[in-house]
Amino acid sequence: MFDKITYTNRRLKLRKKIKSGLILLLGNTESPMNYPSNTFRFRQDSNFLYFFGLDVPNLAGIIDIEDGKDSLYGDDFDIDDIVWMGPQPSLKELGEQVGVLSTHPSKELAIKLKHAISLGRKIHILPPYRSENILRLEKVIGVGQDLIKYYTSKELIKAVVDLRSIKEPCEIEEIEKASAIGYQMHVTAMKMAKAGMKELQIAGTIEGISCANGTMPSFPIILSQHGETLHNHDHSQILKEGGLLLVDAGAESVSHYASDNTRTIPVNGKLTQKQKEIYNLVLAAVNNSVEIAKAGMPYLNVHLAAAKVITEGLISLGLMKGNADEAVANGAHALFFPHGLGHMMGLDVHDMEDLGEDYVGYDDEISRSDQFGTASLRLGRKLQEGFVLTVEPGIYFIPALFEKWKSEKINQGFINYDKVAEYLDFGGIRLEDDILITPNGARILGKRIPITPEEVEKTVLS
Ligand code: GLY
Ligand code: MN
Ligand code: MN
């Protein structure tokens, strides 16, 4: 947790962006896994964490624009709770930690909100994403769940996105801590990437590193020799000589900031010539993206530049043909690179995605493309100093997508389908770094995880 001034200042900034009414921010509750007292690991809501800082279940915060007060709602623990949980701070003490002096029992939240509604005051909420909180909202606002969406406030969403998009120095420090854990996770995976090793064993070991040094992985670990399946959570295979192990994993720091990196590791360390040719194209696309990303540049342009690097490379290898600019304009690269170049990162690995991807990644100036591939780009708008985002190009050979495009003759003027057919058992390569937009361009957060073929080989064999 940061100093209480951090949270007081954030709430003050939020107030200035909202014209009138009450802002309600619900923290998360415990959520049962298979019976009520066996819960999933508790994860606080990121918006609540950002403005109220408390990593404790069952709280709610209110920022009242008219009376100028910030209030915390929750319940003190009784002696029965303390017998099971040990000594706990009171609600008043929790409030003091984050600069909130007005604290109230949970049951008063509904009274406060219903009274405000009866006076015709506006209630601003963010889109709920957990069913427990939808039920809480029904109770405290007093409407059925179908009507809750009318309380979701675009004004509040935009204000929160404005604030959370620009990372404060204390947040960058936390992201760097998550990066340091991520570094350890990836280097460990590289050292374990020997033929005969189980994917499961590597996935479990690096998940342990994230838990031992932070809180947990920042998202379920993606680790597979079938990297062509973009989010492959199946870890059931044994590593084979000649395989490419794609590891997309990150850590959540103790204060819940994320890292998110991908490396693709040749089992036993050595890329074949064919693998190296594709690997170096992806590497060139990452490096070019980090080099050109800067404040004022739309991330859509950085995405398209990465697509062009990949396309030019695939043309030189004979997998694509024609003019690279025209191929990218027609979306032909998306047969190989069917996802976006990256996304914002912070308290969430896909930062603020609960608020709506288009509010976070697009604006009045730049709207989302509807072309296959680029349509998946989560962040397209102009970059600003203080943004933290991922750069994660890839090249994949997805048999089902190949069959569809080939049979429908999609972009056949740009793709050498016969040549691509020789790569259908290749798998996929993705490389992902996290960057901060600085006054002079962009810098990679954390110590860069080994990424050149030589660095990766050396690490696998170390
Ligand atoms: N959560 C996977 C990624 O965005 O890289
Ligand atoms: Mn990732
Ligand atoms: Mn990512």
Side-chain angles (χ1 to χ4, degrees), residues 222-235:
I222 295 163
L223 185 149
S224 168
Q225 291 164 103
H226 280 288
E228 76 280 9
T229 300
L230 302 182
H231 281 179
N232 198 336
H233 300 298
D234 176 75
H235 316 306

Side-chain angles (χ1 to χ4, degrees), residues 292-334:
I292 67 171
K294 60 177 182 187
M297 176 172 291
Y299 201 52
L300 174 62
N301 294 11
V302 186
H303 169 88
L304 293 172
K308 186 172 172 191
V309 169
I310 285 171
T311 301
E312 284 174 338
L314 292 174
I315 290 172
S316 74
L317 293 176
L319 290 154
M320 293 183 75
K321 58 189 174 187
N323 174 281
D325 286 312
E326 281 174 27
V328 170
N330 282 279
H333 61 279

Side-chain angles (χ1 to χ4, degrees), residues 34-265:
N34 50 346
Y35 52 90
S37 64
N38 209 26
T39 55
F40 288 105
R41 191 179 181 126
F42 177 69
R43 174 55 159 84
Q44 185 57 288
D45 174 75
S46 297
N47 297 302
F48 187 84
L49 267 183
Y50 187 82
F51 292 104
F52 284 90
L54 297 166
D55 195 5
V56 175
N58 304 323
L59 300 176
I62 285 209
I63 299 172
D64 187 324
I65 302 299
E66 276 81 18
D67 82 2
K69 238 196 256 170
D70 299 335
S71 311
L72 192 64
Y73 290 77
D75 294 311
D76 281 326
F77 293 97
D78 63 20
I79 187 64
D80 284 343
D81 299 318
I82 290 166
V83 167
W84 292 94
M85 300 163 66
Q88 299 294 322
S90 67
L91 186 68
K92 190 168 178 302
E93 287 164 338
L94 288 173
E96 280 163 6
Q97 289 174 21
V98 292
V100 178
L101 302 179
S102 163
T103 56
H104 308 269
S106 294
K107 64 175 191 292
E108 289 183 15
L109 183 59
I111 299 169
K112 166 94 180 166
L113 291 171
K114 286 175 188 167
H115 179 62
I117 291 167
S118 74
L119 297 176
R121 299 186 64 198
K122 188 167 171 56
I123 311 291
H124 301 264
I125 65 166
L126 296 171
Y129 54 90
R130 284 200 186 186
S131 44
E132 288 90 345
N133 272 351
I134 294 174
L135 293 172
R136 279 170 91 197
L137 285 169
E138 278 190 340
K139 201 163 139 198
V140 297
I141 297 178
V143 296
Q145 58 178 276
D146 293 350
L147 299 178
I148 285 172
K149 59 175 178 285
Y150 295 111
Y151 291 85
T152 299
S153 161
K154 217 189 260 190
E155 189 186 0
L156 179 59
I157 291 172
K158 287 188 169 180
V160 173
V161 169
D162 274 358
L163 292 174
R164 284 184 57 189
S165 292
I166 310 291
K167 269 54 182 184
E168 300 162 23
C170 63
E171 295 184 282
I172 306 295
E173 256 178 59
E174 282 302 311
I175 295 171
E176 299 262 19
K177 285 181 196 165
S179 303
I181 307 169
Y183 182 94
Q184 252 185 288
M185 292 163 74
H186 280 276
V187 165
T188 301
M190 286 180 192
K191 291 183 180 181
M192 293 177 78
K194 309 276 168 33
M197 177 65 72
K198 290 178 180 158
E199 291 173 351
L200 206 55
Q201 213 170 333
I202 306 178
T205 302
I206 67 173
E207 178 152 348
I209 293 172
S210 73
C211 298
N213 296 280
T215 49
M216 57 183 175
S218 52
F219 59 95
I221 289 170
I222 295 163
L223 185 149
S224 168
Q225 291 164 103
H226 280 288
E228 76 280 9
T229 300
L230 302 182
H231 281 179
N232 198 336
H233 300 298
D234 176 75
H235 316 306
S236 63
Q237 303 300 306
I238 292 178
L239 299 201
K240 290 188 304 281
E241 172 78 45
L244 283 174
L245 180 68
L246 188 149
V247 182
D248 183 352
E252 208 172 274
S253 74
V254 173
S255 29
H256 303 290
Y257 283 84
S259 69
D260 180 12
N261 291 98
T262 307
R263 290 295 183 265
T264 307
I265 313 164

